[in-house]
Amino acid sequence: MEFELSPFVSYLTENKNASSSTVSSYQRDLKKLEHYLDVQSIACAEEITPDHLNRYLSFLDNQGMSISTVSRNVVSMKAYFHYLFSQGKLKTDPAREIKAPHIDRKMPEILSREEVVRLLEQPSQDTAKGRRDRAMLELLYATGLRVSELITVKYRDVNMRTNYIICRDVGKERMIPFGSSARTAMEVYMQDGRDELLKGTESDYLFVNCSGGVMSRQGFWKLIKQYARKAGIYMEITPHTLRHSFAAHLVENGADLKVVQEMMGHSDISTTQMYVNLNMDHVRRVYQESHPRY
C-alpha cells in the first residue's frame, strides 16, 4: 500500500505551521509504517485497524527501538490518521485510541558558566576554520539555536547593527538578540575567515565548511566534541547541550519564562518550564553542599 503524503505535508505546513524537522520526522515514520503494512498485505488505509497499529508498535519495540522513538511514531501515525478522518477519507480513525508509551523526561545536562567559557575559548584564532568555529559556538550559546538552525543561518539574516538574528522555519520566524561576545567573534570570522573558506565561490549561508559548502550537522557535532575534550569537559556533550545551557543560565539569572520560550522557539511553555525545575535542582544542590546545618 502507499500513503498519500503530499496533501498531508501541505496540510502540516500550511495549516499547522509545522517545522521542517517535524514534517521530515512524520514522513520518515509514516514511510516505515507504510512498508510494514505492505508486508502485512494491507492494500489501502480503509483496511487499517487499531490492532494493526498496535502490532506495529510491538514490532518497533521488538526491534530494540527506544521508548522515545516508539512514542514519536505514535505521534506521527495519530496526526496522519486524524488528518485522513477529518478530511472524510476514513470513516473511523484507527489511531484514535492508540496510546504512546510513557516517557520519564530526563532533566537535560547543562554546562556551568566556567565550562562554557573554557569551551568557547578552544578554537584557534590563527586559522579561518578556528575563527569560524569560535563564531559558531559563540552564536549558539548566545541565541540557543538548534544545530539545524545554526548551520542554515543565511548571511542576510544577521543584523550586526542591531545585534539580532532572524531564525526562519516553515511558515514562521523568530528574532533573537545576541551579545557583544558573539558579535565580536562573528565580525572576526566575517572579515578574516569566511572568504578564505569560500575560496572564491559564493554562498547564501553564514557558516561554510572548509570547501566552501554548507556545514553538516554531523560535522558540527564532531567539532563540539573535540573542543569539549580539549576544554577538559568529559560529560557527553552535543550542540543541544549549549542550547540547554543558554536557556538554563537565562532562567537562573531571572529571565522571564515567556521571553525564553520565544527565543527557544518552543510552541508550549511547559517545555520551557523544565529550565525552572532545573534551576531549582541546582539551588538545592548548592544548598546541600554549602549550608553548615544541612
Side-chain angles (χ1 to χ4, degrees):
M1 69 163 298
E2 186 173 348
F3 289 145
E4 297 180 12
L5 293 183
S6 293
F8 177 56
V9 167
S10 298
Y11 167 78
L12 289 174
T13 55
E14 296 170 11
N15 296 74
K16 295 297 184 179
N17 287 329
S19 68
S20 55
S21 59
T22 297
V23 172
S24 296
S25 175
Y26 282 3
Q27 288 179 296
R28 285 194 302 270
D29 292 343
L30 292 170
K31 281 292 183 182
K32 292 176 184 176
L33 173 60
E34 180 184 82
H35 177 71
Y36 172 84
L37 294 172
D38 192 47
V39 172
Q40 304 301 313
S41 299
I42 303 299
C44 59
E46 289 83 353
E47 295 181 11
I48 300 171
T49 66
D51 187 50
H52 289 129
L53 299 180
N54 277 316
R55 276 188 282 169
Y56 175 63
L57 297 178
S58 296
F59 168 77
L60 293 180
D61 184 56
N62 292 334
Q63 292 292 307
M65 300 291 182
S66 66
I67 292 177
S68 60
T69 298
V70 176
S71 294
R72 193 197 65 224
N73 275 267
V74 171
V75 171
S76 299
M77 68 170 62
K78 287 178 80 71
Y80 180 64
F81 289 113
H82 175 73
Y83 161 76
L84 293 181
F85 176 70
S86 67
Q87 297 296 309
K89 297 180 179 181
L90 287 178
K91 293 182 180 179
T92 60
D93 179 354
R96 182 178 178 182
E97 302 299 328
I98 301 294
K99 302 294 184 184
H102 177 71
I103 300 176
D104 292 324
R105 175 176 287 181
K106 295 181 180 179
M107 297 303 286
E109 293 276 3
I110 66 167
L111 300 174
S112 68
R113 298 183 198 183
E114 294 76 12
E115 287 173 327
V116 169
V117 171
R118 294 207 313 269
L119 176 66
L120 299 184
E121 290 178 344
Q122 293 311 308
S124 168
Q125 296 302 278
D126 297 329
T127 66
K129 177 181 176 298
R131 290 187 280 271
R132 179 205 64 193
D133 295 349
R134 175 66 177 267
M136 293 185 78
L137 290 174
E138 288 278 7
L139 187 61
L140 186 59
Y141 179 61
T143 60
L145 291 175
R146 300 174 179 89
V147 63
S148 57
E149 296 168 336
L150 178 71
I151 63 176
T152 55
V153 168
K154 299 291 181 65
Y155 196 88
R156 67 175 184 271
D157 291 335
V158 180
N159 191 321
M160 300 295 283
R161 184 173 57 84
T162 60
N163 283 25
Y164 268 88
I165 184 171
I166 300 176
C167 182
R168 304 180 192 275
D169 207 333
V170 179
K172 53 188 173 183
E173 64 180 46
R174 65 189 194 276
M175 293 182 63
I176 313 171
F178 54 84
S180 57
S181 295
R183 176 192 172 94
T184 299
M186 286 194 291
E187 283 178 337
V188 170
Y189 164 65
M190 290 175 179
Q191 294 169 8
D192 193 17
R194 187 169 181 270
D195 285 345
E196 184 177 335
L197 294 175
L198 283 171
K199 296 180 175 64
T201 62
E202 295 184 0
S203 176
D204 291 335
Y205 296 102
L206 175 61
F207 299 113
V208 295
N209 61 28
C210 293
S211 302
V214 182
M215 292 282 295
S216 69
R217 290 167 55 95
Q218 295 83 357
F220 187 69
W221 275 54
K222 290 179 182 177
L223 288 177
I224 201 169
K225 289 179 182 296
Q226 290 169 3
Y227 289 130
R229 286 196 296 271
K230 288 179 64 177
I233 300 170
Y234 299 107
M235 63 181 280
E236 187 63 29
I237 185 172
T238 70
H240 231 62
T241 307
L242 271 182
R243 176 172 159 84
H244 288 315
S245 302
F246 157 82
H249 294 168
L250 282 177
V251 171
E252 184 180 336
N253 285 334
D256 182 87
L257 207 60
K258 288 290 289 183
V259 174
V260 177
Q261 177 193 5
E262 184 175 340
M263 288 190 288
M264 295 287 281
H266 290 157
S267 57
D268 191 334
I269 199 167
S270 64
T271 306
T272 320
Q273 183 72 35
M274 69 177 174
Y275 297 109
V276 176
N277 301 332
L278 187 65
N279 188 45
M280 290 305 298
D281 286 345
H282 171 71
V283 170
R284 188 179 297 109
R285 284 197 302 273
V286 171
Y287 178 82
Q288 292 171 351
E289 294 169 1
S290 308
H291 197 284
R293 300 281 292 177
Y294 178 77

